[in-house]
Amino acid sequence: MARNGYQTGSIVSHGWVRWVPKMPDLINEQDVSVNFEEYRRLDGLALADLVRSGQVSAEELLNTAWARLEAVNPKLNFLVTPLRERALQQVKRPHSGPFAGVPFLTKDLFQDIAGVPNYNGCRAMRQAGHVASETGTITQRWLNAGVVLMGTTATPEFGSKGVTEPAVSGVTANPWNLAVTTGGSSGGSAAAVAAGVVPLAGANDGGGSIRIPAACCGLFGLKPGRGRNPWGPQLSEYMHGGVMTHVLTRSVRDSAAMLDATHGPEVGSLTVLAPPERPFLAEVSGPPGTLRVAFSTRSPLGLGVDPSAVASVERTVALLKDLGHTVEEAQPDIDFFDAARRFMMLWCVQVGQFVREVKKQTACGWAGFEPDTRSMCLLGQALTAAEYLDAHTVAKACTMAMGHFFEQHDVWLTPTLATPPGAHGSTAVPAWQGAALKAVATMGLTRAVIRAGGFDQLVRDNMAWLPFTQLANLTGLPAMSVPLFTSQDGLPSGVHFMGPMGQEGLLFRLAGQLEQAQPWAHRFPAL
């Protein structure tokens, strides 16, 4: 038994599922020689050890993973593009790297694979049959680490929401409770990992899109700091470095080992962080020392926080004290609502850029996009260059404020989410609202909507249940959601830690200590 409990050695209709990809034929049961219950107890590093030692083959792991995918995807609807034939070719080649032979899924957003369909959760791109022309730098580094790509996973359109309910493919369900959200925008990957299809999967995070689904699905999710992982080859960064790509995992050490395999600059990188003093994997088993932990359970937006989220933080505070850390209630000197408002401005402008680019690529009309996307695009188009620059200036001021805060504290603890995962459709903007905004835009009155508090309302509507995550994107700081506890109804409940710039190693040390003190590897959904 290795540290942290990881050993070595006809479609069902659910009403809310509107599209399920056509699968290759089911594999023959006799081809599956790795017992699923054994498979899902192991993390990616443990599975790779078995492949390296010759105890199992990469093809056997793939067969087991594919059988599980076939069994659960009709219920969960996480798969966008199946790549089994590609994966079967890949496992026939020699394997190397820390995750050699380990089944893996990428997200259908900014994780391009040359020659493979890429839709970004967008109906217009799917209807146009868009195919990636080149492999993304991060995807190539994952391949270099040895993973076997089985397919791509669902995301909301352009990753622009905290739930995974794209019109093009339908709702992705949570393995812990099919009636509630997986979160987003990496909800497809989170569902697959939580259901035991793969031990880790590609994700990215522009406002919490790694950490939100990690909290909803009982996983570990770390967002690296600005510049830690690459964004090429087409662009050097998105959202001024606020959007970062990494993985969702069950174990802390898988996340650390994959960051070891992917971090570092590329040609054209705008932000070059100092390399870590030690491998991130070594940090997981290293003592964090006595940390100065600040915590808060109040919503940064002045809205409500569910008692279950507060209870998870309070239990974490007690655990941290037992582990010898110094804990006090404190929060940074930031106008959080204004920061969230400025973040939403930056994001709406970015969504507008996505829409313009897709229109150019596909010649689609306004109907090629979802109502929420159209609303964000219209609001973004109505902003002036001065307002955009003001928003970016506020972001830089928040970064400085966080730097001063971390002079007094080592990490900041909050809930990951303000409420438990909600029912499907509970965060959808009413259709009339989008239609009304379009009419207002046609009349040239969108500026009046903004002056009347349109952005303030957008912040409340979209961020009420997830007010804690976007600050890490606005400032570019590393942050993580850790699945220490469950709520009374059995759903996962994550707690959130932010750390100073460049200190992913510190977060991994703390996460490793918490994982050992309060393990979660034994918890699986009943699916």
Side-chain angles (χ1 to χ4, degrees):
M1 181 73 70
R3 184 181 180 273
N4 298 332
Y6 292 98
Q7 296 176 345
T8 56
S10 146
I11 299 297
V12 178
S13 173
H14 290 279
W16 38 261
V17 175
R18 293 185 285 271
W19 175 81
V20 176
K22 185 178 185 301
M23 305 274 196
D25 292 337
L26 277 169
I27 55 179
N28 191 308
E29 189 173 341
Q30 68 183 10
D31 294 332
V32 181
S33 55
V34 179
N35 178 274
F36 169 68
E37 291 303 324
E38 296 178 26
Y39 170 83
R40 80 166 173 179
R41 282 199 300 269
L42 306 181
D43 66 357
L45 290 176
L47 291 172
D49 284 343
L50 294 179
V51 174
R52 269 189 296 271
S53 65
Q55 296 180 61
V56 301
S57 70
E59 186 170 2
E60 289 170 334
L61 293 183
L62 174 62
N63 287 339
T64 301
W66 196 265
R68 179 61 172 173
L69 183 152
E70 289 276 11
V72 299
N73 187 61
K75 300 176 183 178
L76 301 178
N77 192 36
F78 60 79
L79 188 67
V80 173
T81 301
L83 297 174
R84 183 174 178 242
E85 294 306 317
R86 186 187 191 282
L88 285 170
Q89 292 301 313
Q90 190 180 348
V91 295
K92 290 180 171 65
R93 297 192 289 269
H95 317 296
S96 61
F99 293 95
V102 175
F104 188 78
L105 293 158
T106 59
K107 182 179 176 181
D108 185 37
L109 182 72
F110 305 132
Q111 297 173 13
D112 294 1
I113 309 163
V116 170
N118 167 240
Y119 308 133
N120 295 336
C122 176
R123 181 193 292 114
M125 294 184 72
R126 177 169 175 77
Q127 290 175 339
H130 183 264
V131 173
S133 60
E134 55 188 332
T135 298
T137 305
I138 189 70
T139 311
Q140 188 58 56
R141 291 187 184 183
W142 286 334
L143 289 167
N144 294 345
V147 298
V148 175
L149 296 184
M150 295 172 53
T152 65
T153 64
T155 176
E157 192 166 53
F158 307 131
S160 59
K161 293 188 285 187
V163 294
T164 304
E165 303 173 1
V168 67
S169 59
V171 170
T172 296
N174 192 320
W176 291 90
N177 181 340
L178 298 181
V180 304
T181 184
T182 58
S185 63
S186 305
S189 289
V193 175
V197 175
V198 290
L200 69 169
N204 38 43
D205 191 317
S209 292
I210 289 175
R211 293 158 289 151
I212 294 165
C216 289
C217 297
L219 304 175
F220 177 76
L222 177 123
K223 181 198 80 71
R226 176 186 290 125
R228 182 63 76 190
N229 269 339
W231 253 100
Q234 294 95 346
L235 296 174
S236 59
E237 64 178 26
Y238 264 103
M239 283 274 290
H240 308 289
V243 184
M244 290 303 299
T245 299
H246 190 38
V247 290
L248 281 158
T249 65
R250 287 179 48 239
S251 73
V252 175
R253 68 175 194 162
D254 271 2
S255 181
M258 188 57 89
L259 193 57
D260 280 328
T262 59
H263 78 82
E266 61 186 323
V267 173
S269 291
L270 288 180
T271 301
V272 179
L273 294 179
E277 296 178 3
R278 291 171 296 282
F280 292 120
L281 182 57
E283 300 284 20
V284 175
S285 57
T290 301
L291 299 180
R292 301 166 299 171
V293 180
F295 80 95
S296 175
T297 58
R298 290 179 291 167
S299 168
L301 306 184
L303 306 175
V305 178
D306 191 85
S308 64
V310 174
S312 288
V313 171
E314 291 173 343
R315 294 175 69 185
T316 303
V317 166
L319 177 60
L320 290 166
K321 289 179 178 178
D322 287 344
L323 292 170
H325 301 297
T326 301
V327 186
E328 66 171 325
E329 189 167 4
Q331 63 180 30
D333 184 17
I334 290 174
D335 183 337
F336 291 105
F337 194 91
D338 184 58
R341 185 173 181 273
R342 306 303 180 127
F343 170 85
M344 187 61 73
M345 289 181 173
L346 294 171
W347 186 248
C348 286
V349 172
Q350 181 65 74
V351 170
Q353 191 269 334
F354 292 150
V355 169
R356 290 190 298 275
E357 185 175 328
V358 171
K359 281 185 173 182
K360 185 188 303 182
Q361 288 178 351
T362 67
C364 73
W366 200 234
F369 307 98
E370 297 180 21
D372 289 0
T373 301
R374 298 176 208 163
S375 297
M376 286 184 273
C377 177
L378 289 170
L379 288 169
Q381 287 175 345
L383 293 172
T384 66
E387 286 169 325
Y388 187 88
L389 182 59
D390 284 346
H392 187 42
T393 300
V394 168
K396 291 184 285 188
C398 289
T399 304
M400 293 300 293
M402 290 304 301
H404 291 304
F405 183 73
F406 285 129
E407 289 180 324
Q408 304 300 319
H409 311 280
D410 295 308
V411 294
W412 184 33
L413 163 66
T414 66
T416 306
L417 306 174
T419 70
H424 302 306
S426 59
T427 63
V429 174
W432 67 264
Q433 207 170 84
L437 184 58
K438 182 181 179 182
V440 166
T442 302
M443 293 184 288
L445 298 176
T446 313
R447 293 286 308 166
V449 172
I450 294 173
R451 285 194 296 270
F455 265 102
D456 290 3
Q457 192 59 47
L458 194 63
V459 167
R460 294 186 184 96
D461 289 344
N462 284 270
M463 296 185 184
W465 74 288
L466 38 84
F468 300 102
T469 56
Q470 76 275 355
L471 183 64
N473 303 91
L474 196 67
T475 60
L477 297 175
M480 64 182 181
S481 181
V482 187
L484 292 178
F485 304 106
T486 57
S487 58
Q488 289 184 344
D489 59 5
L491 285 176
S493 178
V495 291
H496 188 261
F497 292 91
M498 284 180 65
M501 182 64 78
Q503 291 299 312
E504 291 90 350
L506 170 64
L507 294 181
F508 279 129
R509 289 196 299 276
L510 175 58
Q513 184 186 51
L514 292 172
E515 184 182 31
Q516 190 172 36
Q518 185 70 29
W520 57 81
H522 61 286
R523 298 200 298 255
F524 301 106
L527 184 73

